[in-house]
Amino acid sequence: MVQKKKIDFDLFDSKVHSGVASKNASLKKSIIKKIDKNSHCTITELSKELNISVPKTTTLINSLLEDGFIEDEGKLDSTGGRKASMYGLSANACHFIGVSISRFHIDFVVMDFKKNIIGSIQREAYKFENTEESLKQLILKIETYLSSLKTDQLNIKGLGISMPGRINSKLGKAFNYFNFIDEPIKDLLQRELNIPVYVENDSRAMVFAEMNMSDAANEKNLVFVNLDYGIGIGIIIDGKTYYGKSGYSGELGHIPIFENEIICICGKKGCFETEASGFALKRKFKEKLKSGSTSSVLANKLIDDIQLPDIINAAKHEDMLAIELLAEVGEKLGKGLAVLINIFNPETLIIGGALAETGDYIRLPARSVLNKYSSALVNNDTNLRLSKLGEHAGVIGACLIARSRVVF
């Protein structure tokens, strides 16, 4: 095998340069961003967009070619004159690992520099808890996945982790899980895995994936509603992820919308997710079964053993109880979506997460109530749709988070 040239990521870091070198590092990063956004560019296009001279652009392009970040994709068709070369990112310049942690499983995947998924997404059973044993298992499963990769064919530069709960991604700290350790979870994992690690809240990772990999790529104001056991949101404002002062934005599930006596996992009553989440659906489903209702789920599970995936799968197979309760949850969800539209006036409101796998069973009831409670003036400007990336949004987002932290 031909030995690949080692990619020097310090060339993008202005902190390790000064003067002209710092400016060149910044310009190279800008060129990478433009090519990434447009798929490929000519030197003339880059010169105009970045407002730098053609000779200077040519020098920077040649440097990026030599360093292996970009490649010449051939000549652009022309009706006359000299044909211009098109430059695109080099797929194998570097690779990134995505790890998406859910309540009962972990997803893994590898992404190249051009955002192509390498191989298939792998899923491993895992019980996510705020315990030392759960943390040990997480590290073990990541180590096992990394050891299964053909690392001599990959240039891994970072590992992104998408996980539920309140995450300060700047500090790499988790508030709800693994909060019994003294150091940020990011630092612990970097030390254990010997690879740069970037930790992000699952809802923010999902909206980042939607913005970069789906029909929302050209939209700058998005809200992603992550419907799983709980409810979280990821927010994009003017093309940038919104974090809030402490990095804990997006806790829609714990807004006190309902007048009920149901105690939320946060310890308060009346939270949004007590009526419009996977936890709520599971609770309602079990209550109905215990009061005499029937369901196809009982063919394989005892009532106390039923989990959210069982109910989702039942709905997909036209189980009437599951569909009925999804409609009820969807109607409650619609009230919260109306609040989001009235506050943010987004271009697109995306429903994702586990419950979104039920499609129109959840979307249509939510849409109906949304129309009732939101301002028509604002509502008409917002596209409500299901996630295009589905259950893979989190792990794809984790890869993209690592990619953006390392290069951009």
Side-chain angles (χ1 to χ4, degrees):
M1 172 179 277
V2 177
Q3 184 69 29
K4 294 189 295 183
K5 179 175 179 178
K6 181 177 175 60
I7 300 292
D8 180 12
F9 280 84
D10 282 347
L11 67 85
F12 286 137
D13 190 352
S14 60
K15 294 179 182 178
V16 300
H17 301 289
S18 61
V20 174
S22 176
K23 184 176 181 180
N24 285 343
S26 178
L27 288 172
K28 286 178 179 179
K29 181 180 285 190
S30 296
I31 288 173
I32 291 290
K33 284 183 177 180
K34 289 295 181 183
I35 295 176
D36 182 49
K37 180 180 179 181
N38 300 323
S39 296
H40 43 247
C41 296
T42 65
I43 287 177
T44 301
E45 289 170 340
L46 290 167
S47 174
K48 288 181 179 179
E49 288 198 46
L50 300 175
N51 195 28
I52 53 179
S53 69
V54 169
K56 179 65 174 179
T57 306
T58 302
T59 298
L60 295 170
I61 284 291
N62 287 335
S63 178
L64 288 168
L65 283 167
E66 183 180 350
D67 288 317
F69 281 104
I70 65 173
E71 56 190 17
D72 190 332
E73 295 184 342
K75 302 294 184 181
L76 178 68
D77 290 337
S78 174
T79 56
R82 187 175 181 179
K83 295 182 178 180
S85 291
M86 299 291 291
Y87 297 95
L89 300 183
S90 177
N92 292 319
C94 45
H95 300 86
F96 306 94
I97 308 297
V99 179
S100 178
I101 305 172
S102 298
R103 191 172 175 82
F104 294 110
H105 64 262
I106 306 177
D107 288 342
F108 298 94
V109 79
V110 180
M111 176 181 285
D112 68 22
F113 195 36
K114 292 186 75 171
K115 298 185 286 192
N116 299 310
I117 298 300
I118 306 300
S120 60
I121 295 173
Q122 294 187 28
R123 175 165 292 183
E124 293 287 334
Y126 170 70
K127 193 170 184 179
F128 188 34
E129 297 176 322
N130 188 34
T131 64
E132 291 187 11
E133 180 58 28
S134 183
L135 178 56
K136 286 180 182 178
Q137 285 299 310
L138 173 64
I139 295 171
L140 177 61
K141 287 184 179 295
I142 296 176
E143 287 176 335
T144 302
Y145 178 74
L146 291 174
S147 67
S148 72
L149 300 175
K150 297 179 180 179
T151 52
D152 61 329
Q153 299 177 19
L154 300 173
N155 186 16
I156 299 173
K157 289 297 179 181
L159 183 148
I161 295 181
S162 162
M163 59 187 288
R166 296 184 181 181
I167 307 292
N168 185 313
S169 58
K170 185 176 181 180
L171 300 176
K173 297 180 89 172
F175 178 81
N176 301 100
Y177 294 93
F178 310 142
N179 51 20
F180 48 81
I181 58 176
D182 294 331
E183 62 185 325
I185 185 64
K186 168 187 172 180
D187 294 346
L188 182 146
L189 292 174
Q190 281 187 162
R191 189 177 68 254
E192 293 289 334
L193 302 172
N194 194 30
I195 184 174
V197 172
Y198 307 90
V199 182
E200 185 58 279
N201 166 266
D202 55 354
S203 301
R204 287 198 289 265
M206 289 173 176
V207 76
F208 194 72
E210 289 285 342
M211 183 178 70
N212 283 276
M213 300 286 283
S214 74
D215 294 345
N218 295 318
E219 298 174 348
K220 293 188 175 182
N221 295 283
L222 310 173
V223 176
F224 184 100
V225 182
N226 179 17
L227 299 175
D228 206 284
Y229 278 91
I231 304 176
I233 60 172
I235 308 163
I236 301 290
I237 298 176
D238 291 335
K240 297 180 179 179
T241 305
Y242 178 75
Y243 286 91
K245 173 67 168 60
S246 305
Y248 301 134
S249 67
E251 292 296 324
L252 177 67
H254 301 297
I255 295 177
I257 291 181
F258 300 106
E259 292 289 336
N260 63 36
E261 293 300 312
I262 302 171
I263 299 176
C264 180
I265 58 171
C266 71
K268 299 186 173 101
K269 297 178 181 179
C271 289
F272 185 41
E273 65 181 48
T274 62
E275 297 283 1
S277 67
F279 279 125
L281 177 62
K282 188 175 80 166
R283 185 192 72 245
K284 293 171 185 283
F285 195 82
K286 289 184 175 182
E287 287 174 352
K288 283 284 188 179
L289 292 179
K290 288 178 180 179
S291 65
S293 296
T294 186
S295 167
S296 58
V297 176
L298 293 176
N300 301 304
K301 290 282 183 80
L302 297 175
I303 293 178
D304 289 339
D305 295 332
I306 293 172
Q307 297 296 337
L308 185 59
D310 301 316
I311 305 171
I312 292 171
N313 185 59
K316 289 179 179 179
H317 290 84
E318 300 184 351
D319 182 275
M320 292 310 299
L321 179 61
I323 292 171
E324 172 191 323
L325 293 178
L326 273 166
E328 184 178 317
V329 167
E331 289 171 0
K332 301 291 178 62
L333 172 66
K335 286 188 176 183
L337 299 185
V339 171
L340 293 176
I341 285 183
N342 288 336
I343 292 175
F344 291 104
N345 186 26
E347 294 171 70
T348 300
L349 183 59
I350 304 169
I351 300 176
L355 289 186
E357 294 178 31
T358 62
D360 283 345
Y361 289 139
I362 190 82
R363 186 185 69 86
L364 292 180
R367 171 89 262 184
S368 177
V369 173
L370 170 62
N371 291 338
K372 179 180 178 181
Y373 287 101
S374 64
S375 166
L377 184 65
V378 178
N379 187 3
N380 292 336
D381 286 337
T382 299
N383 172 35
L384 174 67
R385 67 167 175 81
L386 299 173
S387 168
K388 296 293 180 66
L389 300 176
E391 63 178 338
H392 301 318
V395 73
I396 291 173
C399 281
L400 291 168
I401 291 293
R403 180 177 179 270
S404 68
R405 299 286 196 272
V406 171
V407 183
F408 305 111

